[in-house]
Amino acid sequence: MLRIGVLGAARIAPAALIAPARSVPGVQVVAVAARDRGKAAAFARRHGIAQVHAGYAELLADPGIDAVYVPLPNGLHARWTLAALEAGKHVLCEKPFTANAAEAETVAGAARRSGLVVMEAFHYRYHPVFARALEIAGTLGEPRSIDTALCFPLPRFSDIRYDYGLAGGAMMDAGCYAVHALRTLGGGEPEVTSARALLQKPRVDRAMVAEYRFPGGASGRTVASMWSRHLLNVSARYTGSEGSLRIFNYLAPSAFHRLTVHRGGRTSHERVPGGTTYSYQLRAFAAAVAGEGTNLTPPEDSVRTMRVIDDVYRAAGLPPRGAE
């Protein structure tokens, strides 16, 4: 049994971990901690979690916990992932991995030395839909252009996702998905050629558009937004020398999705059956802890994503998060 503790009574935790754990064999969520013990206790009662710890450090010191899930604000990911590794725990860390590339490199080094599993929670990457998309893209010839987007409306500007001190911003919260999907479809590391931001407050972007160039010459584009005219867009498009693929809703395909392929003057549509992205991610995490090669989003991959995000901010004339 893989016994997991949750650092923080976060809104994402029930969908991302607690519900999937009920259907993934060999996994149990056994404890939760929050800064407010009363909030943690209420969370535990609501979700049937047996143990409540007074704080994050107390949870990490619990010998009955094998791994932790870190859904804390972006700016706290590095600190508590490092603390979890020091305590001998495997880590499933919410995206974005850290506040910036320098932090990601520090965590990656600690993960290597520890021999423990650290997985960034890009849950979409574990669903059969994205595996099928990569398979199709591989049949479309040399890459010509790759475009990815994640846009959703978040007009609650007091939300922590707009807090620079907590590593907030649209490029961090939405753009990390778009960048990761761009990198994965492109099969290489893109260079940022330009970026432009819409600001909600000084240094904090509510939307970001960035352009890229891949080593082989293919172009790239990401669109990320938490509040702009792009109210809702969760899509990716791969154009190759022999056709194109559009992925509609790569993020939550169990709700609805569609793969559309244009090739040789013909268009075809495809759907891939499967459960939630989070259930596939949790199975992969448990298998990786058991020694299988199922970690598709390890710290080395996270470092590369954070380098691109830092470069996007610089290209837009903004500081990377955590750059004081």
Side-chain angles (χ1 to χ4, degrees):
M1 182 64 67
L2 177 64
R3 301 162 299 181
I4 302 178
V6 183
L7 295 186
R11 289 190 299 267
I12 188 62
L17 177 67
I18 296 168
R22 296 189 184 113
S23 62
V24 175
V27 173
Q28 187 177 6
V29 180
V30 298
V32 62
R35 289 176 300 172
D36 181 337
R37 197 181 194 285
K39 183 178 179 181
F43 187 89
R45 287 193 299 271
R46 188 160 57 249
H47 298 291
I49 299 173
Q51 293 178 292
V52 177
H53 286 287
Y56 304 150
E58 182 180 294
L59 185 148
L60 294 180
D62 185 343
I65 294 172
D66 308 304
V68 294
Y69 171 56
V70 181
L72 299 169
N74 303 339
L76 300 178
H77 288 181
R79 173 186 173 185
W80 288 105
T81 298
L82 289 169
L85 292 172
E86 181 67 24
K89 313 298 186 189
H90 304 282
V91 182
L92 175 61
C93 181
E94 268 303 332
K95 39 54 60 184
F97 191 57
T98 55
N100 53 54
E103 286 189 358
E105 289 166 1
T106 298
V107 175
R112 280 193 302 273
R113 292 189 296 273
S114 73
L116 296 163
V117 172
V118 177
M119 174 185 284
E120 186 175 8
F122 278 124
H123 52 99
Y124 82 93
R125 183 66 181 87
Y126 295 89
H127 198 278
V129 164
F130 212 79
R132 177 60 179 149
L134 290 171
E135 182 181 10
I136 293 171
T139 71
L140 297 176
E142 293 298 315
R144 294 290 184 259
S145 65
I146 301 155
D147 301 84
T148 59
L150 179 55
C151 305
F152 57 85
L154 184 66
R156 191 172 65 252
F157 300 122
S158 60
D159 191 281
I160 61 170
R161 284 172 280 187
Y162 288 106
D163 187 330
Y164 179 85
L166 293 174
M171 193 64 205
M172 294 292 287
D173 201 72
C176 65
Y177 280 111
V179 166
H180 192 265
L182 180 89
R183 290 184 50 248
T184 305
L185 285 167
E189 302 311 314
E191 175 191 358
V192 179
T193 57
S194 67
R196 61 186 185 277
L198 294 178
L199 298 185
Q200 174 55 33
K201 57 183 75 170
R203 302 189 295 180
V204 179
D205 49 312
R206 59 184 173 90
M208 182 80 76
V209 177
E211 308 284 342
Y212 309 84
R213 180 68 58 185
F214 283 88
S219 63
R221 186 173 192 260
T222 59
V223 180
S225 170
M226 297 193 296
W227 188 243
S228 73
R229 64 184 181 85
H230 301 286
L231 282 181
L232 188 63
N233 185 1
V234 187
S235 66
R237 185 179 183 88
Y238 177 98
T239 301
S241 56
E242 299 178 19
S244 67
L245 163 69
R246 184 175 187 269
I247 313 164
F248 175 74
N249 194 12
Y250 64 89
L251 193 65
S254 60
F256 179 79
H257 71 275
R258 184 168 58 199
L259 303 176
T260 301
V261 180
H262 298 283
R263 178 167 32 202
R266 302 182 65 181
T267 299
S268 62
H269 303 285
E270 185 176 332
R271 293 185 192 175
V272 181
T276 68
T277 52
Y278 294 116
S279 63
Y280 287 103
Q281 175 178 261
L282 187 55
R283 286 190 184 95
F285 181 65
V289 170
E292 299 182 32
T294 53
N295 189 355
L296 302 178
T297 52
E300 294 76 14
D301 183 66
S302 303
V303 169
R304 291 189 283 269
T305 296
M306 292 313 304
R307 285 173 181 163
V308 174
I309 291 173
D310 283 2
D311 286 346
V312 168
Y313 275 120
R314 293 188 187 101
L318 296 171
R321 311 300 84 169
E324 301 302 337

